[in-house]
């Protein structure tokens, strides 16, 4: 199979590695050829480390690398069976690329986007043949994260989602089919993990360190929300939140945080800039350990219950709206963002009545729509 990948950034080269590892012939194009060369050099190091760790053989490493062909123009995609776009999250730029692509590839070629939040239907509506367009959303880093959201738009050929699901399984991934709604499954359900954590800090209820420690110790999350925002990029996380908020017609549930906006404006984007909610310079790494806030068990329990209640409520609402089936919702959060357990199962464990009561208390305290409950929450 011949696979074209547009965009050779972290996500693009990651998807290229996945496809090449599965034996596909990969064509990698980026408007910036220097970026492609840089990414290929990084991939060479990644593959060398896999050989060192005896995860793959030296022969397999060479085979994977040689399967990826850097391209200088989109015209090189003319014989591709599948094209995956992984460029900037901008609808106009993506649409322009897809329109160019349609003039090059065959009528049988599947065109897809790795977008994390832009409507698949809106992207496909500008194409001559929207039936062959679908969302294939990988998670970062693509070679390590098993989940892939497969998102058919309203104009997508009915059988295409199943076809892509089978292909993703052959690539060693765990695919889930999602409805074309803002944020799909993961980015919609996960919003309160960040949003509610930011709200708690904005109100001076706790510090980022305390919120992170509460979620790690009581929820068994591998990373707290502030550590994770620093890793993802505060600007990237803020951008996704803004997209989901706008696409849901400014539903207060998804309202972005002023604190996150200020951090983005200050270019305090997290690990990639050396400073975000945490300081990643060497001298500050040591002081960060020493300046941990005093642990407060009652506060930690309140933080955990507040954030987990918001998350479970979102999962229940996704179930109610048929965004995905129960199994897909549970798998998506565990395999896409490494949650320690499925949120619907977590709701059963804590008790949906306890979740409902927590949200009702928050609603009465704040009088805000963001705390409204899913109509299904009190029925399950």
């Amino acid at each position: 199979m011949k696979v074209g990948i547009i965009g050779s950034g972290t996500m693009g080269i990651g998807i290229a590695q996945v496809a090449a590892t599965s034996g596909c012939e990969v064509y990698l194009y980026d408007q910036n050829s220097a970026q492609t060369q840089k990414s290929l050099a990084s991939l060479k190091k990644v593959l060398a480390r896999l050989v060192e760790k005896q995860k793959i053989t030296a022969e397999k490493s060479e085979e994977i690398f040689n399967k990826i062909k850097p391209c200088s123009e989109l015209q090189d995609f003319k014989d591709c069976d599948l094209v995956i776009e992984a460029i900037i999250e901008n609808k106009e730029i993506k649409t322009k690329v897809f329109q160019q692509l349609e003039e090059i590839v065959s009528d049988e070629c599947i065109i897809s986007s790795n977008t994390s939040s832009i409507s698949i239907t809106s992207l496909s509506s500008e194409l001559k043949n929207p039936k062959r367009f679908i969302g294939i959303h990988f998670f970062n880093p693509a070679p390590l994260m098993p989940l892939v959201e497969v998102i058919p738009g309203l104009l997508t050929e009915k059988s295409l989602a199943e076809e892509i699901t089978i292909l993703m399984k052959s690539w060693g991934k765990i695919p889930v089919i999602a409805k074309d709604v803002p944020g799909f499954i993961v980015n919609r359900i996960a919003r309160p993990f960040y949003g509610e954590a930011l709200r708690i800090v904005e109100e001076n209820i706790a510090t980022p360190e305390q919120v992170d420690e509460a979620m790690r110790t009581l929820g068994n999350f591998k990373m707290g929300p502030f550590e994770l925002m620093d890793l993802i990029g505060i600007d990237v996380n803020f951008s996704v939140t803004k997209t989901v908020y706008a696409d849901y017609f400014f539903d207060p549930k998804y309202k972005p945080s002023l604190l996150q906006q200020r951090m983005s404006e200050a270019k305090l984007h997290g690990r990639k800039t050396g400073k975000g909610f945490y300081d990643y310079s060497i001298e500050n790494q040591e002081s960060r350990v020493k300046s941990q806030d005093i642990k407060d068990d009652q506060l930690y329990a309140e933080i955990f219950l507040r954030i987990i209640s918001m998350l479970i409520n979102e999962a229940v609402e996704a179930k109610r709206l048929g965004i995905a089936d129960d199994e897909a919702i549970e798998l998506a959060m565990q395999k896409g963002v490494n949650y320690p357990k499925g949120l619907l199962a977590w709701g059963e464990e804590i008790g949906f009545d306890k979740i409902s009561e927590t949200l009702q208390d928050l609603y009465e305290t704040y009088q805000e729509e963001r705390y409204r409950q899913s109509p299904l929450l009190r029925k399950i």
Side-chain angles (χ1 to χ4, degrees):
M1 186 182 199
K2 293 182 178 179
V3 179
I5 292 167
I6 304 171
S8 63
T10 307
M11 190 55 85
I13 195 70
I15 299 169
Q17 183 186 335
V18 171
T21 302
S22 300
C24 297
E25 209 171 302
V26 180
Y27 295 82
L28 183 64
Y29 170 77
D30 197 298
Q31 212 172 6
N32 179 356
S33 56
Q35 175 62 55
T36 304
Q37 293 310 316
K38 186 182 168 188
S39 293
L40 285 169
S42 296
L43 175 60
K44 213 161 202 173
K45 289 176 187 170
V46 167
L47 294 171
R49 280 200 297 274
L50 290 174
V51 173
E52 275 173 35
K53 291 176 182 176
Q54 298 184 324
K55 297 274 178 77
I56 58 172
T57 63
E59 292 75 27
K60 182 66 177 174
S61 163
E62 201 173 326
E63 183 192 311
I64 293 167
F65 193 80
N66 291 336
K67 287 265 182 199
I68 303 170
K69 298 165 175 59
C71 302
S72 55
E73 51 184 32
L74 272 181
Q75 197 63 43
D76 295 333
F77 283 26
K78 65 183 189 305
D79 297 324
C80 285
D81 304 297
L82 166 68
V83 175
I84 303 171
E85 165 273 315
I87 60 172
I88 188 169
E89 283 287 272
N90 179 297
K91 189 195 166 188
E92 287 68 34
I93 294 171
K94 286 181 191 287
T95 301
K96 196 175 171 186
V97 169
F98 293 137
Q99 287 171 334
Q100 283 178 273
L101 196 58
E102 260 196 320
E103 301 300 318
I104 294 164
V105 297
S106 72
D107 292 340
E108 287 71 45
C109 177
I110 298 163
I111 300 176
S112 70
S113 175
N114 179 63
T115 180
S116 57
S117 53
I118 300 172
S119 159
I120 299 303
T121 301
S122 72
L123 289 172
S124 68
S125 66
E126 305 293 330
L127 301 181
K128 289 178 187 170
N129 180 9
K131 286 184 178 181
R132 46 115 160 244
F133 189 85
I134 194 163
I136 307 178
H137 180 218
F138 290 80
F139 288 77
N140 200 13
L144 297 179
M145 297 303 284
L147 189 79
V148 175
E149 290 177 322
V150 178
I151 312 107
L154 287 181
L155 305 170
T156 305
E157 181 69 52
K158 297 289 181 221
S159 60
L160 191 53
E162 193 51 44
E163 193 181 323
I164 296 299
T165 297
I166 292 165
L167 177 66
M168 289 301 110
K169 282 179 180 172
S170 76
W171 285 11
K173 293 297 176 187
I174 297 173
V176 293
I177 296 175
K179 200 184 267 190
D180 183 19
V181 296
F184 315 129
I185 306 172
V186 174
N187 277 320
R188 176 196 158 112
I189 294 176
R191 297 285 30 96
F193 189 66
Y194 315 108
E196 206 54 28
L198 285 157
R199 174 61 84 89
I200 288 166
V201 169
E202 281 176 330
E203 292 178 7
N204 295 315
I205 293 168
T207 64
E209 289 87 351
Q210 287 175 315
V211 174
D212 283 349
E213 196 181 355
M215 297 313 286
R216 282 196 315 270
T217 55
L218 299 180
N220 206 24
F221 284 89
K222 287 182 181 171
M223 297 180 90
F226 293 96
E227 292 170 304
L228 193 49
M229 281 186 273
D230 274 3
L231 180 66
I232 294 165
I234 290 165
D235 55 331
V236 173
N237 188 269
F238 181 53
S239 174
V240 172
T241 301
K242 282 195 298 181
T243 301
V244 171
Y245 180 54
D247 286 359
Y248 273 115
F249 306 111
F250 305 101
D251 185 332
K253 272 205 304 182
Y254 307 108
K255 189 177 177 181
S257 153
L258 273 173
L259 170 59
Q260 201 173 30
Q261 179 169 323
R262 292 292 174 266
M263 298 287 283
S264 296
E265 288 167 349
K267 296 186 170 47
L268 298 171
H269 296 160
R271 286 178 185 260
K272 63 186 175 185
T273 57
K275 195 171 182 185
F277 291 107
Y278 295 100
D279 194 326
Y280 296 91
S281 57
I282 294 164
E283 62 272 19
N284 280 287
Q285 286 288 48
E286 292 168 12
S287 63
R288 180 184 148 190
V289 177
K290 289 172 193 166
S291 67
Q292 278 289 354
D293 298 275
I294 297 164
K295 189 172 177 181
D296 180 332
D297 290 340
Q298 189 184 337
L299 175 64
Y300 283 19
E302 286 170 11
I303 291 167
F304 171 70
L305 188 59
R306 182 167 166 175
I307 293 174
I308 205 69
S309 295
M310 294 288 279
L311 286 168
I312 290 166
N313 188 48
E314 276 302 316
V316 170
E317 182 67 349
K319 170 188 170 79
R320 184 183 79 87
L321 297 173
I323 289 168
D325 61 35
D326 287 15
E327 187 188 0
I329 289 169
E330 299 291 75
L331 263 179
M333 302 316 290
Q334 289 173 281
K335 303 297 183 184
V337 274
N338 269 330
Y339 282 15
K341 59 184 89 170
L343 290 168
L344 298 174
W346 218 333
E348 274 184 32
E349 191 182 292
I350 296 170
F352 288 113
D353 53 343
K354 178 72 174 169
I355 302 301
S356 175
E357 185 189 311
T358 302
L359 292 170
Q360 189 60 34
D361 287 347
L362 286 165
Y363 183 79
E364 285 170 10
T365 301
Y366 292 99
Q367 297 291 299
E368 282 186 58
E369 273 293 292
R370 73 186 273 124
Y371 299 112
R372 73 177 186 270
Q373 298 177 47
S374 168
L376 183 60
L377 188 62
R378 287 177 178 172
K379 295 178 184 175
I380 56 173

